[in-house]
Amino acid sequence: MPDSSYIRWFSDLGRDDVALVGGKNASLGELHRRLKPLGVEVPDGFALTAAAFRDALTAANAWDGLHALLDDLDKTDVERLARAGARAREIVYTAGLTPDMEAQLRTAFRALLAEYGEGLTVAVRSSATAEDLPTASFAGQHETYLNVAGEAMLLDAVRRCHASLFTDRAISYRIDQGFDHFKVALSVGVQKMVRSDLASAGVMFTLDTESGYRDAVFITGAYGLGETVVQGTVDPDEFYVHKPTFRQGRRAVLRRRLGEKLVKMVYRSGRTREPTRTVPTPGADRERFCLTDGEVLRLAEQAIRIEDH
């Protein structure tokens, strides 16, 4: 039987809901529900459940075609892998969504629009049920779409996220890790965009990623949307904060390094299939840090709260 409700709001999700909404959405739900009241800033959003992915393919009679492509696939045959992946993505995208799923997505998006007002754009992110496990990481293997505006773009982005379960890289990785292609499903997260294209964004760690030293908060950042930092296409600024002394009230940025920050990702004006673009970073911005010390310390405080949780 199809799930009677395919939408779960972040406020109703937690870290035990990986099977329902995948690793990324379960973590976002945990942050929103448990840590937003403690001052950790998490934009609101919702997930289309993994059950929607399965039910959409069932309604479209898509499983037999996918099995024919992927059962006994030899990943060392690169050309065959590419053909199988392209055809699998086509099958999933064409399967689309059932009318009930579309209606629930539209209703949820309108509720988010009512919360944030006109001009809302969202990030649409894939969240696999086998994501970020202790023994495997699927990070970067499935698609994300930024600056998505309006219901038509949202529905298309969701279908493209579903199809991205069968990127060539994801298929190959599942074979290497011994995962059954058909025991992994994909949820889709829809979250309010932060206009970091007008400021800066990046990635924050609660340890030093090079040495494994656990008493530091390590922050990387650059101007524009954070995707350039995540993808490694920009040399970001780096900042270190020492956690033990921060907890004792002696709060200072221990170390900072100025990155080149040659490019930045910004919103593209107009509603097109390419809602973002990468442009050169102005020289004056390249020569200064993307965060003030006060902002670094504010971020470090949130990182420590998350780690403590």
Side-chain angles (χ1 to χ4, degrees):
M1 289 291 291
D3 194 324
S4 61
S5 176
Y6 293 112
I7 299 296
R8 296 288 191 278
W9 288 86
F10 290 164
S11 57
D12 298 322
L13 294 172
R15 58 188 174 189
D16 295 329
D17 291 315
V18 174
L20 180 68
V21 295
K24 186 182 287 94
N25 287 334
S27 295
L28 283 171
E30 182 77 12
L31 289 171
H32 190 278
R33 185 169 69 174
R34 303 295 186 189
L35 293 177
K36 189 172 183 180
L38 301 180
V40 176
E41 299 175 37
V42 185
D44 203 2
F46 58 88
L48 181 70
T49 65
F53 173 84
R54 296 188 182 98
D55 289 349
L57 294 183
T58 298
N61 297 313
W63 294 112
D64 287 347
L66 291 171
H67 275 286
L69 289 166
L70 300 173
D71 288 352
D72 302 319
L73 176 66
D74 179 5
K75 60 163 282 186
T76 63
D77 186 341
V78 178
E79 291 185 2
R80 184 185 171 195
L81 171 64
R83 289 195 304 270
R87 178 57 184 150
R89 293 190 294 275
E90 181 182 11
I91 288 173
V92 176
Y93 181 82
T94 302
L97 302 165
T98 67
D100 186 30
M101 292 169 198
E102 288 197 9
Q104 290 188 36
L105 271 169
R106 291 179 187 274
T107 298
F109 181 77
R110 290 167 190 170
L112 204 60
L113 188 65
E115 180 180 352
Y116 288 111
E118 294 297 327
L120 168 74
T121 66
V122 294
V124 181
R125 298 187 179 277
S126 305
S127 181
T129 56
E131 194 171 62
D132 298 331
L133 300 174
T135 57
S137 174
F138 289 79
Q141 296 187 20
H142 310 119
E143 296 297 340
T144 288
Y145 297 92
L146 305 178
N147 189 23
V148 174
E151 294 174 22
M153 284 186 70
L154 171 64
L155 294 172
D156 182 70
V158 168
R159 292 171 67 185
R160 292 179 182 277
C161 282
H162 277 178
S164 74
L165 188 66
F166 297 105
T167 62
D168 298 359
R169 180 183 173 192
I171 292 170
S172 178
Y173 186 76
R174 286 195 295 269
I175 293 172
D176 287 342
Q177 296 294 319
F179 283 90
D180 186 331
H181 297 298
F182 301 102
K183 290 184 179 178
V184 179
L186 198 139
S187 169
V188 179
V190 178
Q191 185 177 29
K192 178 191 179 294
M193 286 284 296
V194 174
R195 287 303 304 267
S196 59
D197 64 309
L198 304 177
S200 59
V203 183
M204 183 161 59
F205 305 89
T206 53
L207 52 67
D208 176 26
T209 57
E210 291 294 324
S211 67
Y213 179 64
R214 301 197 65 89
D215 281 342
V217 174
F218 174 44
I219 298 171
T220 62
Y223 290 105
L225 301 175
E227 205 73 4
T228 56
V229 179
V230 174
Q231 294 173 353
T233 57
V234 68
D235 176 33
D237 295 340
E238 297 179 351
F239 309 89
Y240 288 87
V241 175
H242 188 237
K243 285 188 287 189
T245 51
F246 185 95
R247 293 180 188 276
Q248 295 167 11
R250 299 194 292 274
R251 301 183 172 185
V253 179
L254 185 66
R255 176 185 167 193
R256 60 184 67 79
R257 184 190 73 85
L258 188 68
E260 291 185 332
K261 306 185 296 292
L262 294 177
V263 296
K264 64 178 181 176
M265 183 179 288
V266 298
Y267 281 17
R268 185 188 295 271
S269 59
R271 301 271 69 87
T272 70
R273 282 186 176 272
E274 299 295 335
T276 62
R277 62 193 180 106
T278 301
V279 299
T281 304
D285 286 343
R286 289 176 53 195
E287 295 169 5
R288 64 186 178 94
F289 287 102
C290 67
L291 294 170
T292 66
D293 282 4
E295 290 167 337
V296 171
L297 294 173
R298 183 180 174 190
L299 288 169
E301 182 176 28
Q302 298 213 351
I304 291 169
R305 285 179 179 170
I306 293 168
E307 182 180 44
D308 287 347
H309 177 73

